Amino acid sequence: MVTIGKTLASLMLASVVFHAAPTTLIIAHRGASGHRPEHTIEAYTLAIDMGADVIEPDLVSTKDGALIARHENEIGATTDVADKFASRKATKTIDGMSVTGWFTEDFTLAEIKTLRAKERLAFRAHTYDGQFLIPTFDEVLDLAARKSRETGRTIGVYPETKHPTYFRSLKLPIEEPMLAALKQRGLTKKTSPVFIQSFEASSLQRMRPLTDAPLVMLVSSAALVTPAKLAELRAFADGIGAEKRLVIPVNGEGMALPPTTLVADAHAAHLFVHVWTLRKEAQFLPASYGGDMAKEAKQFADLGVDGMFTDFPDIAARALGRVAKR
Ligand code: G3P
Ligand code: CA
C-alpha cells in the first residue's frame, strides 16, 4: 500500500504539468457527499480523513456578496429554508430555465447561517439532516489550511463558479471575490494546490489574466472535446473536467464500452484530465462494474486520468491503494 503522506504541493511542484503527476488525485465531490449532506464542513472534513487530496466547493453568492458553498443558487433541495423562510419562495429565469424555490441571492449571509443542510438524494441516509451549517468559501479554505497543518498533507481546494453570468447580471460577481480570497492565502500560482473550474468558458477567460492558478473547463459533450476544440481550450484552460462517459462510454444496457481517445487527446494538447463523478449507487455506476465502484476508479486510474471527482473518497482511496494519513 502506498501512503499519501507525500504532499499534494510536492506532487504539484514535482510536476508543473498536472497530466504528468505521478498520482491520480482524489477530488471529494461536494465533500464526502455519499456519507454526509453535500457542501458542509462535516462532509469536507470526512473526505479529507478518508484520503481525499482535494475538496470541491461549488460557489454561489448571497444578497450581500458573500460566497457560499452550494451546488446551485436554489437551496430548497439541500437546506431547511422552506421551513424557515416560506414567504421568500420565488420563480426566476436562470440561464434560460424557469426555476421555482428559494435563492441565495435573496438572503444575507446572516440569514443563510440560520439554515441547516439536508441530504439532496432520497436514497441516501438522512441521519444528518438539520444539523450542519452552510459554509462560506473562506471557511472551506480555512478548513483545508487547518487540515493540511494537522495531517502534514497539503489539501487542495477546487472551487467552481456556478451561474457566473447570471450572478454578474445581479452585480454579485463570483470571480473577483473568489480570486481575492485565494490571493489572500497565496493561492495564485500555477503550482498552488487549487483548481478553478467552470462550465462557462467566459468565466475562465475572464480569470485567465488575473491568476496563474490552474483553470479547468468542465465539459459534458463530445463535440467540445475534439482535438481542434481542445487546442482552443488550451488558450485559457490548463485542464478539462470531463463527464466520465466522455472517457468510458456506456451503452443502452448500462455496460461500459471501450475507452475513447480523450485522455490521450487532452494530454497531447497539454491539458490534464479530471473525470466526474464516481458514485457507488446503481443509478450512477455502470452495470459492468458489478456494483463495485472501486473497479471503475481503478479503470480510470489505469487509463491515466489525472484526477477523479467522487462522492466516495473512501472507495477511491482503497481502489488506488492509498492509506490516508490523518
Ligand atoms: O465540477 C465537477 C462536477 O462537479 C460537475 O458537476 O454539477 O456536480 O457541479 P456538478
Ligand atoms: Ca461541481
Side-chain angles (χ1 to χ4, degrees):
M1 300 280 267
V2 178
T3 298
I4 56 172
K6 193 172 182 182
T7 66
L8 179 62
S10 72
L11 293 171
M12 289 177 165
L13 286 167
S15 176
V16 170
V17 181
F18 292 105
H19 69 254
T23 191
T24 309
L25 294 176
I26 298 173
I27 305 155
H29 180 247
R30 315 180 197 172
S33 56
H35 299 278
R36 298 287 185 275
E38 67 188 44
H39 290 313
T40 59
I41 291 297
E42 288 77 6
Y44 298 127
T45 302
L46 182 61
I48 295 164
D49 290 345
M50 287 175 161
D53 301 301
V54 185
I55 53 177
E56 189 220 16
D58 296 324
L59 297 180
V60 294
S61 182
T62 65
K63 185 178 186 176
D64 44 353
L67 296 183
I68 59 172
R70 289 288 94 190
H71 180 259
E72 55 270 304
N73 54 331
E74 197 291 299
I75 52 175
T78 61
T79 72
D80 57 3
V81 67
D83 301 331
K84 291 175 174 164
F85 293 93
S87 66
R88 301 268 186 102
K89 192 174 187 180
T91 298
K92 304 190 181 201
T93 300
I94 297 161
D95 298 342
M97 304 269 291
S98 178
V99 183
T100 297
W102 290 261
F103 298 88
T104 58
E105 64 269 27
D106 295 335
F107 293 83
T108 63
L109 179 59
E111 289 171 333
I112 291 287
K113 285 294 185 183
T114 69
L115 304 178
R116 296 294 180 272
K118 68 179 186 186
E119 171 56 49
R120 173 194 298 274
L121 299 171
F123 52 82
R124 285 188 176 162
H126 286 253
T127 320
Y128 299 96
D129 286 6
Q131 296 186 31
F132 305 145
L133 294 165
I134 313 307
T136 63
F137 183 41
D138 281 328
E139 289 165 347
V140 178
L141 291 169
D142 288 346
L143 173 72
R146 180 171 64 78
K147 293 295 281 186
S148 296
R149 285 194 302 274
E150 287 176 5
T151 62
R153 296 152 49 199
T154 297
I155 306 301
V157 180
Y158 209 133
E160 178 181 345
T161 60
K162 283 292 187 190
H163 308 296
T165 300
Y166 171 77
F167 274 108
R168 188 166 293 277
S169 76
L170 302 179
K171 303 204 183 314
L172 293 170
I174 306 285
E175 291 90 348
E176 288 83 354
M178 183 188 71
L179 292 176
L182 293 173
K183 187 174 181 185
Q184 196 177 18
R185 291 162 175 83
L187 297 170
T188 59
K189 303 184 188 69
K190 206 177 181 104
T191 52
S192 296
V194 63
F195 300 88
I196 300 168
Q197 52 170 334
S198 187
F199 278 106
E200 294 190 25
S202 62
S203 182
L204 299 181
Q205 288 163 331
R206 181 182 298 279
M207 290 187 281
R208 183 71 294 169
L210 305 177
T211 184
D212 289 329
L215 301 183
V216 182
M217 185 72 216
L218 297 174
V219 287
S220 57
S221 158
L224 294 177
V225 291
T226 63
K229 290 287 184 191
L230 291 171
E232 288 175 22
L233 288 181
R234 189 64 187 95
F236 57 88
D238 302 281
I240 57 170
E243 206 281 334
K244 64 184 183 179
R245 292 180 187 201
L246 295 179
V247 175
I248 303 177
V250 174
N251 70 14
E253 284 76 51
M255 304 302 282
L257 297 171
T260 68
T261 59
L262 179 54
V263 175
D265 292 346
H267 287 174
H270 303 288
L271 292 159
F272 57 79
V273 181
H274 297 160
V275 291
W276 46 270
T277 300
L278 278 66
R279 297 160 162 141
K280 73 174 186 180
E281 295 98 343
Q283 291 91 333
F284 308 113
L285 182 65
S288 39
Y289 298 110
D292 185 358
M293 195 204 96
K295 289 182 180 162
E296 185 187 39
K298 182 78 168 53
Q299 186 180 8
F300 277 111
D302 290 347
L303 284 171
V305 304
D306 305 282
M308 55 182 72
F309 288 83
T310 179
D311 292 6
F312 295 93
D314 48 340
I315 301 176
R318 198 165 60 243
L320 302 186
R322 310 261 292 271
V323 177
K325 193 174 143 195
R326 296 190 186 191

mmCIF file of all heavy atoms in Angstrom, residues 29-30 39 56 58 71 158 160 162 197-199 218 241-242 275-277 279 309, ligand 1:
data_model
loop_
_atom_site.group_PDB
_atom_site.id
_atom_site.type_symbol
_atom_site.label_atom_id
_atom_site.label_comp_id
_atom_site.label_asym_id
_atom_site.label_seq_id
_atom_site.Cartn_x
_atom_site.Cartn_y
_atom_site.Cartn_z
ATOM 1 N N HIS A 29 -16.074 15.263 -4.273
ATOM 2 C CA HIS A 29 -17.136 15.986 -4.972
ATOM 3 C C HIS A 29 -18.169 16.499 -3.970
ATOM 4 O O HIS A 29 -18.931 15.720 -3.410
ATOM 5 C CB HIS A 29 -17.786 15.014 -5.965
ATOM 6 C CG HIS A 29 -18.894 15.576 -6.776
ATOM 7 N ND1 HIS A 29 -20.208 15.158 -6.639
ATOM 8 C CD2 HIS A 29 -18.912 16.516 -7.746
ATOM 9 C CE1 HIS A 29 -20.968 15.802 -7.499
ATOM 10 N NE2 HIS A 29 -20.217 16.630 -8.184
ATOM 11 N N ARG A 30 -18.137 17.801 -3.707
ATOM 12 C CA ARG A 30 -19.006 18.428 -2.702
ATOM 13 C C ARG A 30 -18.716 17.879 -1.305
ATOM 14 O O ARG A 30 -19.590 17.878 -0.435
ATOM 15 C CB ARG A 30 -20.481 18.246 -3.054
ATOM 16 C CG ARG A 30 -20.813 18.517 -4.527
ATOM 17 C CD ARG A 30 -22.282 18.330 -4.839
ATOM 18 N NE ARG A 30 -22.525 18.205 -6.277
ATOM 19 C CZ ARG A 30 -23.677 17.886 -6.824
ATOM 20 N NH1 ARG A 30 -24.743 17.680 -6.060
ATOM 21 N NH2 ARG A 30 -23.818 17.791 -8.134
ATOM 22 N N HIS A 39 -21.537 19.723 0.587
ATOM 23 C CA HIS A 39 -21.124 21.111 0.804
ATOM 24 C C HIS A 39 -21.312 21.557 2.255
ATOM 25 O O HIS A 39 -21.876 22.628 2.526
ATOM 26 C CB HIS A 39 -21.885 22.064 -0.131
ATOM 27 C CG HIS A 39 -21.493 21.944 -1.576
ATOM 28 N ND1 HIS A 39 -20.193 21.910 -2.000
ATOM 29 C CD2 HIS A 39 -22.248 21.873 -2.705
ATOM 30 C CE1 HIS A 39 -20.152 21.812 -3.318
ATOM 31 N NE2 HIS A 39 -21.391 21.774 -3.780
ATOM 32 N N GLU A 56 -14.022 19.923 -3.035
ATOM 33 C CA GLU A 56 -14.669 20.720 -4.071
ATOM 34 C C GLU A 56 -15.850 21.524 -3.546
ATOM 35 O O GLU A 56 -16.905 20.949 -3.260
ATOM 36 C CB GLU A 56 -15.194 19.827 -5.201
ATOM 37 C CG GLU A 56 -15.679 20.649 -6.391
ATOM 38 C CD GLU A 56 -16.962 20.134 -7.045
ATOM 39 O OE1 GLU A 56 -17.670 19.315 -6.441
ATOM 40 O OE2 GLU A 56 -17.253 20.599 -8.155
ATOM 41 N N ASP A 58 -18.679 24.073 -4.762
ATOM 42 C CA ASP A 58 -19.338 24.878 -5.793
ATOM 43 C C ASP A 58 -19.715 26.195 -5.122
ATOM 44 O O ASP A 58 -20.120 26.207 -3.952
ATOM 45 C CB ASP A 58 -20.599 24.169 -6.287
ATOM 46 C CG ASP A 58 -20.304 22.843 -6.969
ATOM 47 O OD1 ASP A 58 -19.283 22.741 -7.664
ATOM 48 O OD2 ASP A 58 -21.117 21.905 -6.802
ATOM 49 N N HIS A 71 -24.421 23.851 -4.546
ATOM 50 C CA HIS A 71 -24.346 23.412 -5.939
ATOM 51 C C HIS A 71 -25.126 24.312 -6.874
ATOM 52 O O HIS A 71 -24.792 24.463 -8.044
ATOM 53 C CB HIS A 71 -24.863 21.975 -6.075
ATOM 54 C CG HIS A 71 -24.813 21.454 -7.475
ATOM 55 N ND1 HIS A 71 -25.914 21.385 -8.290
ATOM 56 C CD2 HIS A 71 -23.774 20.984 -8.209
ATOM 57 C CE1 HIS A 71 -25.550 20.892 -9.465
ATOM 58 N NE2 HIS A 71 -24.267 20.636 -9.447
ATOM 59 N N TYR A 158 -10.953 23.108 -4.831
ATOM 60 C CA TYR A 158 -11.336 23.063 -6.255
ATOM 61 C C TYR A 158 -12.648 23.846 -6.445
ATOM 62 O O TYR A 158 -13.698 23.249 -6.714
ATOM 63 C CB TYR A 158 -11.520 21.594 -6.630
ATOM 64 C CG TYR A 158 -11.245 21.191 -8.065
ATOM 65 C CD1 TYR A 158 -10.463 20.078 -8.347
ATOM 66 C CD2 TYR A 158 -11.802 21.880 -9.141
ATOM 67 C CE1 TYR A 158 -10.219 19.661 -9.654
ATOM 68 C CE2 TYR A 158 -11.573 21.479 -10.435
ATOM 69 C CZ TYR A 158 -10.777 20.359 -10.698
ATOM 70 O OH TYR A 158 -10.548 19.959 -11.996
ATOM 71 N N GLU A 160 -15.774 25.988 -7.907
ATOM 72 C CA GLU A 160 -16.450 26.110 -9.205
ATOM 73 C C GLU A 160 -17.326 27.349 -9.191
ATOM 74 O O GLU A 160 -18.118 27.550 -8.255
ATOM 75 C CB GLU A 160 -17.316 24.875 -9.486
ATOM 76 C CG GLU A 160 -18.064 25.010 -10.820
ATOM 77 C CD GLU A 160 -18.958 23.816 -11.154
ATOM 78 O OE1 GLU A 160 -18.823 22.748 -10.522
ATOM 79 O OE2 GLU A 160 -19.789 23.971 -12.062
ATOM 80 N N LYS A 162 -20.516 28.917 -10.121
ATOM 81 C CA LYS A 162 -21.842 28.450 -10.532
ATOM 82 C C LYS A 162 -22.687 29.640 -11.017
ATOM 83 O O LYS A 162 -22.773 30.665 -10.329
ATOM 84 C CB LYS A 162 -22.545 27.768 -9.355
ATOM 85 C CG LYS A 162 -22.039 26.361 -9.069
ATOM 86 C CD LYS A 162 -22.415 25.374 -10.188
ATOM 87 C CE LYS A 162 -22.056 23.937 -9.835
ATOM 88 N NZ LYS A 162 -22.189 23.028 -10.996
ATOM 89 N N GLN A 197 -12.689 25.939 -11.559
ATOM 90 C CA GLN A 197 -13.449 25.273 -12.628
ATOM 91 C C GLN A 197 -14.726 26.032 -12.957
ATOM 92 O O GLN A 197 -15.310 26.719 -12.113
ATOM 93 C CB GLN A 197 -13.811 23.850 -12.189
ATOM 94 C CG GLN A 197 -14.477 23.825 -10.840
ATOM 95 C CD GLN A 197 -15.075 22.486 -10.434
ATOM 96 O OE1 GLN A 197 -15.435 21.677 -11.298
ATOM 97 N NE2 GLN A 197 -15.215 22.267 -9.139
ATOM 98 N N SER A 198 -15.182 25.838 -14.198
ATOM 99 C CA SER A 198 -16.467 26.395 -14.600
ATOM 100 C C SER A 198 -16.991 25.666 -15.833
ATOM 101 O O SER A 198 -16.204 25.167 -16.651
ATOM 102 C CB SER A 198 -16.360 27.890 -14.910
ATOM 103 O OG SER A 198 -17.653 28.429 -15.136
ATOM 104 N N PHE A 199 -18.320 25.636 -15.959
ATOM 105 C CA PHE A 199 -18.940 25.180 -17.203
ATOM 106 C C PHE A 199 -19.004 26.326 -18.216
ATOM 107 O O PHE A 199 -19.334 26.102 -19.375
ATOM 108 C CB PHE A 199 -20.367 24.680 -16.949
ATOM 109 C CG PHE A 199 -20.447 23.266 -16.442
ATOM 110 C CD1 PHE A 199 -20.750 23.001 -15.122
ATOM 111 C CD2 PHE A 199 -20.231 22.195 -17.293
ATOM 112 C CE1 PHE A 199 -20.843 21.695 -14.651
ATOM 113 C CE2 PHE A 199 -20.314 20.880 -16.841
ATOM 114 C CZ PHE A 199 -20.620 20.627 -15.513
ATOM 115 N N LEU A 218 -15.074 22.643 -17.649
ATOM 116 C CA LEU A 218 -15.954 21.489 -17.460
ATOM 117 C C LEU A 218 -16.663 21.178 -18.773
ATOM 118 O O LEU A 218 -17.207 22.087 -19.414
ATOM 119 C CB LEU A 218 -16.964 21.775 -16.351
ATOM 120 C CG LEU A 218 -16.345 22.009 -14.970
ATOM 121 C CD1 LEU A 218 -17.413 22.426 -13.967
ATOM 122 C CD2 LEU A 218 -15.602 20.778 -14.470
ATOM 123 N N GLY A 241 -12.380 19.135 -16.994
ATOM 124 C CA GLY A 241 -13.147 18.297 -16.074
ATOM 125 C C GLY A 241 -14.217 17.642 -16.923
ATOM 126 O O GLY A 241 -15.184 18.290 -17.349
ATOM 127 N N ALA A 242 -14.033 16.366 -17.214
ATOM 128 C CA ALA A 242 -14.875 15.703 -18.215
ATOM 129 C C ALA A 242 -15.903 14.783 -17.572
ATOM 130 O O ALA A 242 -15.569 14.017 -16.654
ATOM 131 C CB ALA A 242 -14.001 14.892 -19.168
ATOM 132 N N VAL A 275 -12.032 13.458 -14.236
ATOM 133 C CA VAL A 275 -13.357 12.952 -14.632
ATOM 134 C C VAL A 275 -14.346 13.073 -13.476
ATOM 135 O O VAL A 275 -13.977 12.997 -12.309
ATOM 136 C CB VAL A 275 -13.299 11.478 -15.107
ATOM 137 C CG1 VAL A 275 -12.556 11.375 -16.429
ATOM 138 C CG2 VAL A 275 -12.687 10.562 -14.063
ATOM 139 N N TRP A 276 -15.628 13.251 -13.819
ATOM 140 C CA TRP A 276 -16.693 13.322 -12.809
ATOM 141 C C TRP A 276 -17.884 12.524 -13.307
ATOM 142 O O TRP A 276 -18.052 12.391 -14.504
ATOM 143 C CB TRP A 276 -17.082 14.776 -12.510
ATOM 144 C CG TRP A 276 -17.295 15.688 -13.673
ATOM 145 C CD1 TRP A 276 -16.363 16.470 -14.295
ATOM 146 C CD2 TRP A 276 -18.525 15.954 -14.369
ATOM 147 N NE1 TRP A 276 -16.928 17.186 -15.327
ATOM 148 C CE2 TRP A 276 -18.251 16.894 -15.401
ATOM 149 C CE3 TRP A 276 -19.844 15.496 -14.228
ATOM 150 C CZ2 TRP A 276 -19.224 17.374 -16.279
ATOM 151 C CZ3 TRP A 276 -20.825 15.981 -15.100
ATOM 152 C CH2 TRP A 276 -20.498 16.905 -16.112
ATOM 153 N N THR A 277 -18.687 11.954 -12.425
ATOM 154 C CA THR A 277 -18.496 11.849 -10.986
ATOM 155 C C THR A 277 -18.654 10.384 -10.618
ATOM 156 O O THR A 277 -19.641 9.762 -11.040
ATOM 157 C CB THR A 277 -19.551 12.684 -10.235
ATOM 158 O OG1 THR A 277 -19.429 14.053 -10.622
ATOM 159 C CG2 THR A 277 -19.402 12.578 -8.726
ATOM 160 N N ARG A 279 -19.672 7.442 -8.297
ATOM 161 C CA ARG A 279 -20.588 7.193 -7.176
ATOM 162 C C ARG A 279 -20.896 5.705 -7.148
ATOM 163 O O ARG A 279 -20.965 5.066 -8.196
ATOM 164 C CB ARG A 279 -21.891 7.980 -7.355
ATOM 165 C CG ARG A 279 -21.712 9.495 -7.347
ATOM 166 C CD ARG A 279 -22.901 10.151 -7.997
ATOM 167 N NE ARG A 279 -23.042 11.567 -7.673
ATOM 168 C CZ ARG A 279 -23.429 12.494 -8.549
ATOM 169 N NH1 ARG A 279 -23.719 12.150 -9.794
ATOM 170 N NH2 ARG A 279 -23.557 13.760 -8.180
ATOM 171 N N PHE A 309 -13.331 13.047 -9.594
ATOM 172 C CA PHE A 309 -14.311 13.549 -8.632
ATOM 173 C C PHE A 309 -15.135 12.367 -8.147
ATOM 174 O O PHE A 309 -15.620 11.565 -8.957
ATOM 175 C CB PHE A 309 -15.271 14.535 -9.289
ATOM 176 C CG PHE A 309 -14.689 15.874 -9.640
ATOM 177 C CD1 PHE A 309 -13.984 16.065 -10.817
ATOM 178 C CD2 PHE A 309 -14.888 16.965 -8.808
ATOM 179 C CE1 PHE A 309 -13.483 17.309 -11.157
ATOM 180 C CE2 PHE A 309 -14.388 18.222 -9.133
ATOM 181 C CZ PHE A 309 -13.678 18.392 -10.307
HETATM 182 O O1 G3P B 1 -17.425 20.154 -11.101
HETATM 183 C C1 G3P B 1 -17.270 18.839 -11.488
HETATM 184 C C2 G3P B 1 -18.606 18.279 -11.334
HETATM 185 O O2 G3P B 1 -18.926 18.561 -10.015
HETATM 186 C C3 G3P B 1 -19.540 18.946 -12.275
HETATM 187 O O3 G3P B 1 -20.792 18.651 -11.971
HETATM 188 O O4 G3P B 1 -22.977 19.500 -11.452
HETATM 189 O O5 G3P B 1 -21.700 18.260 -9.734
HETATM 190 O O6 G3P B 1 -21.064 20.577 -10.337
HETATM 191 P P1 G3P B 1 -21.662 19.296 -10.804
#
